[in-house]
mmCIF file of all heavy atoms in Angstrom:
data_model
loop_
_atom_site.group_PDB
_atom_site.id
_atom_site.type_symbol
_atom_site.label_atom_id
_atom_site.label_comp_id
_atom_site.label_asym_id
_atom_site.label_seq_id
_atom_site.Cartn_x
_atom_site.Cartn_y
_atom_site.Cartn_z
ATOM 1 N N THR E 381 9.767 -25.431 61.756
ATOM 2 C CA THR E 381 10.896 -25.752 62.613
ATOM 3 C C THR E 381 11.796 -24.557 62.846
ATOM 4 O O THR E 381 12.780 -24.645 63.565
ATOM 5 C CB THR E 381 11.743 -26.875 61.964
ATOM 6 O OG1 THR E 381 12.076 -26.458 60.633
ATOM 7 C CG2 THR E 381 10.952 -28.163 61.921
ATOM 8 N N ASN E 382 11.462 -23.448 62.185
ATOM 9 C CA ASN E 382 12.315 -22.270 62.315
ATOM 10 C C ASN E 382 12.233 -21.718 63.740
ATOM 11 O O ASN E 382 11.273 -21.923 64.465
ATOM 12 C CB ASN E 382 11.862 -21.219 61.309
ATOM 13 C CG ASN E 382 12.832 -20.083 61.227
ATOM 14 O OD1 ASN E 382 14.003 -20.278 60.932
ATOM 15 N ND2 ASN E 382 12.337 -18.892 61.519
ATOM 16 N N GLU E 383 13.264 -21.005 64.109
ATOM 17 C CA GLU E 383 13.309 -20.393 65.436
ATOM 18 C C GLU E 383 13.357 -18.886 65.253
ATOM 19 O O GLU E 383 14.342 -18.368 64.753
ATOM 20 C CB GLU E 383 14.564 -20.910 66.137
ATOM 21 C CG GLU E 383 14.473 -21.210 67.618
ATOM 22 C CD GLU E 383 13.145 -21.677 68.147
ATOM 23 O OE1 GLU E 383 12.725 -22.823 67.932
ATOM 24 O OE2 GLU E 383 12.501 -20.848 68.829
ATOM 25 N N PRO E 384 12.406 -18.076 65.556
ATOM 26 C CA PRO E 384 11.073 -18.468 66.029
ATOM 27 C C PRO E 384 10.236 -19.050 64.895
ATOM 28 O O PRO E 384 10.504 -18.776 63.731
ATOM 29 C CB PRO E 384 10.488 -17.126 66.480
ATOM 30 C CG PRO E 384 11.153 -16.121 65.601
ATOM 31 C CD PRO E 384 12.530 -16.641 65.328
ATOM 32 N N LYS E 385 9.251 -19.795 65.267
ATOM 33 C CA LYS E 385 8.374 -20.413 64.288
ATOM 34 C C LYS E 385 7.685 -19.336 63.439
ATOM 35 O O LYS E 385 7.277 -18.306 63.952
ATOM 36 C CB LYS E 385 7.313 -21.217 65.051
ATOM 37 C CG LYS E 385 6.422 -22.071 64.202
ATOM 38 C CD LYS E 385 5.633 -23.004 65.127
ATOM 39 C CE LYS E 385 4.606 -23.811 64.384
ATOM 40 N NZ LYS E 385 3.433 -23.058 63.999
ATOM 41 N N VAL E 386 7.606 -19.603 62.159
ATOM 42 C CA VAL E 386 6.983 -18.625 61.261
ATOM 43 C C VAL E 386 5.531 -19.011 61.034
ATOM 44 O O VAL E 386 5.245 -20.126 60.601
ATOM 45 C CB VAL E 386 7.717 -18.581 59.908
ATOM 46 C CG1 VAL E 386 7.035 -17.600 58.970
ATOM 47 C CG2 VAL E 386 9.173 -18.215 60.112
ATOM 48 N N ASP E 387 4.666 -18.119 61.381
ATOM 49 C CA ASP E 387 3.239 -18.378 61.141
ATOM 50 C C ASP E 387 2.868 -17.841 59.775
ATOM 51 O O ASP E 387 3.274 -16.742 59.405
ATOM 52 C CB ASP E 387 2.386 -17.650 62.185
ATOM 53 C CG ASP E 387 2.338 -18.427 63.468
ATOM 54 O OD1 ASP E 387 2.261 -19.666 63.396
ATOM 55 O OD2 ASP E 387 2.390 -17.791 64.543
ATOM 56 N N ILE E 388 2.091 -18.607 59.064
ATOM 57 C CA ILE E 388 1.642 -18.106 57.769
ATOM 58 C C ILE E 388 0.325 -17.361 57.970
ATOM 59 O O ILE E 388 -0.676 -17.968 58.335
ATOM 60 C CB ILE E 388 1.435 -19.229 56.752
ATOM 61 C CG1 ILE E 388 2.638 -20.165 56.743
ATOM 62 C CG2 ILE E 388 1.186 -18.646 55.374
ATOM 63 C CD1 ILE E 388 2.507 -21.314 55.777
ATOM 64 N N VAL E 389 0.373 -16.080 57.807
ATOM 65 C CA VAL E 389 -0.863 -15.301 57.850
ATOM 66 C C VAL E 389 -1.120 -14.806 56.433
ATOM 67 O O VAL E 389 -0.457 -13.901 55.961
ATOM 68 C CB VAL E 389 -0.728 -14.118 58.825
ATOM 69 C CG1 VAL E 389 -2.030 -13.336 58.870
ATOM 70 C CG2 VAL E 389 -0.355 -14.597 60.200
ATOM 71 N N PRO E 390 -2.054 -15.414 55.744
ATOM 72 C CA PRO E 390 -2.301 -14.992 54.364
ATOM 73 C C PRO E 390 -2.788 -13.549 54.299
ATOM 74 O O PRO E 390 -3.352 -13.034 55.281
ATOM 75 C CB PRO E 390 -3.383 -15.951 53.864
ATOM 76 C CG PRO E 390 -3.625 -16.934 54.933
ATOM 77 C CD PRO E 390 -2.977 -16.469 56.169
ATOM 78 N N SER E 391 -2.592 -12.917 53.190
ATOM 79 C CA SER E 391 -2.857 -11.477 53.147
ATOM 80 C C SER E 391 -4.337 -11.139 53.310
ATOM 81 O O SER E 391 -4.666 -10.023 53.701
ATOM 82 C CB SER E 391 -2.308 -10.871 51.857
ATOM 83 O OG SER E 391 -2.928 -11.451 50.753
ATOM 84 N N PHE E 392 -5.226 -12.083 53.047
ATOM 85 C CA PHE E 392 -6.637 -11.734 53.240
ATOM 86 C C PHE E 392 -6.967 -11.506 54.705
ATOM 87 O O PHE E 392 -7.976 -10.910 55.034
ATOM 88 C CB PHE E 392 -7.554 -12.826 52.641
ATOM 89 C CG PHE E 392 -7.803 -14.007 53.541
ATOM 90 C CD1 PHE E 392 -8.917 -14.030 54.381
ATOM 91 C CD2 PHE E 392 -6.940 -15.093 53.547
ATOM 92 C CE1 PHE E 392 -9.149 -15.123 55.198
ATOM 93 C CE2 PHE E 392 -7.172 -16.174 54.363
ATOM 94 C CZ PHE E 392 -8.284 -16.192 55.197
ATOM 95 N N MET E 393 -6.084 -11.975 55.603
ATOM 96 C CA MET E 393 -6.361 -11.796 57.028
ATOM 97 C C MET E 393 -5.738 -10.523 57.580
ATOM 98 O O MET E 393 -5.870 -10.239 58.763
ATOM 99 C CB MET E 393 -5.831 -12.997 57.807
ATOM 100 C CG MET E 393 -6.569 -14.274 57.464
ATOM 101 S SD MET E 393 -5.854 -15.694 58.246
ATOM 102 C CE MET E 393 -6.435 -15.452 59.920
ATOM 103 N N VAL E 394 -5.059 -9.793 56.748
ATOM 104 C CA VAL E 394 -4.357 -8.602 57.219
ATOM 105 C C VAL E 394 -5.103 -7.355 56.760
ATOM 106 O O VAL E 394 -5.310 -7.155 55.562
ATOM 107 C CB VAL E 394 -2.909 -8.584 56.672
ATOM 108 C CG1 VAL E 394 -2.192 -7.336 57.135
ATOM 109 C CG2 VAL E 394 -2.178 -9.830 57.100
ATOM 110 N N GLU E 395 -5.496 -6.539 57.716
ATOM 111 C CA GLU E 395 -6.108 -5.266 57.347
ATOM 112 C C GLU E 395 -4.998 -4.272 57.012
ATOM 113 O O GLU E 395 -5.020 -3.630 55.986
ATOM 114 C CB GLU E 395 -6.978 -4.745 58.485
ATOM 115 C CG GLU E 395 -7.625 -3.389 58.234
ATOM 116 C CD GLU E 395 -8.462 -3.342 56.967
ATOM 117 O OE1 GLU E 395 -9.367 -4.183 56.832
ATOM 118 O OE2 GLU E 395 -8.207 -2.463 56.114
ATOM 119 N N ASN E 396 -4.054 -4.146 57.901
ATOM 120 C CA ASN E 396 -2.870 -3.357 57.589
ATOM 121 C C ASN E 396 -1.739 -3.774 58.504
ATOM 122 O O ASN E 396 -1.951 -4.471 59.499
ATOM 123 C CB ASN E 396 -3.160 -1.854 57.689
ATOM 124 C CG ASN E 396 -3.786 -1.481 59.011
ATOM 125 O OD1 ASN E 396 -3.221 -1.735 60.065
ATOM 126 N ND2 ASN E 396 -4.980 -0.881 58.967
ATOM 127 N N LYS E 397 -0.546 -3.358 58.141
ATOM 128 C CA LYS E 397 0.613 -3.811 58.897
ATOM 129 C C LYS E 397 1.579 -2.658 59.092
ATOM 130 O O LYS E 397 1.519 -1.661 58.382
ATOM 131 C CB LYS E 397 1.295 -4.948 58.142
ATOM 132 C CG LYS E 397 1.816 -4.514 56.769
ATOM 133 C CD LYS E 397 2.466 -5.640 56.014
ATOM 134 C CE LYS E 397 2.971 -5.152 54.672
ATOM 135 N NZ LYS E 397 3.508 -6.199 53.826
ATOM 136 N N LYS E 398 2.442 -2.829 60.082
ATOM 137 C CA LYS E 398 3.459 -1.806 60.319
ATOM 138 C C LYS E 398 4.823 -2.455 60.157
ATOM 139 O O LYS E 398 4.984 -3.629 60.459
ATOM 140 C CB LYS E 398 3.311 -1.263 61.736
ATOM 141 C CG LYS E 398 2.050 -0.457 61.951
ATOM 142 C CD LYS E 398 2.207 0.481 63.143
ATOM 143 C CE LYS E 398 0.968 1.328 63.348
ATOM 144 N NZ LYS E 398 -0.123 0.545 63.976
#
Side-chain angles (χ1 to χ4, degrees):
Chain E
T381 53
N382 190 58
E383 218 31 74
K385 188 169 174 285
V386 178
D387 279 321
I388 312 179
V389 181
S391 61
F392 83 93
M393 294 174 75
V394 179
E395 178 56 55
N396 52 57
K397 62 181 180 185
K398 292 202 178 77

